[in-house]
Amino acid sequence: MAYQGTRQITVSKADLAHLGEGSVAYLREIGSDELRGKFPGLPEIAPNTTLWALFAANGQPILLSDERDRALAGALENDLIPVAIH
């Protein structure tokens, strides 16, 4: 629940779950140990490798890159607004 001025705005869990869908993607640095669960079918990656991952607003993986700029470009090429997650 949020307040805008003196008016209360109610957002359902279902609405919140779809917020940003199709328009927002989040970019985050991710370690090789975390990749297996996020990117099924990914070939073996050396331990202690850090990569950049781009995810849809709903958490669906979009792409993986060894460079932040490439992952960011992938968001822009797909007309997505990238946000960084720390």
Side-chain angles (χ1 to χ4, degrees):
M1 207 176 307
Y3 290 93
Q4 184 178 20
T6 58
R7 192 177 82 178
Q8 177 181 340
I9 299 171
T10 303
V11 178
S12 72
K13 287 183 181 181
D15 290 339
L16 192 57
H18 295 288
L19 190 65
E21 199 170 79
S23 60
V24 174
Y26 64 93
L27 178 67
R28 71 180 274 250
E29 206 169 21
I30 189 167
S32 55
D33 57 324
E34 211 181 331
L35 289 173
R36 184 81 39 220
K38 306 274 187 209
F39 288 84
L42 189 68
E44 193 64 35
I45 294 181
N48 301 319
T49 301
T50 302
L51 298 168
W52 288 91
L54 184 68
F55 296 92
N58 67 1
Q60 192 76 350
I62 298 173
L63 67 84
L64 190 60
S65 177
D66 59 344
E67 293 183 22
R68 183 183 183 280
D69 289 344
R70 285 186 191 164
L72 185 57
L76 299 175
E77 287 170 6
N78 288 291
D79 297 322
L80 297 168
I81 300 166
V83 296
I85 302 293
H86 301 279

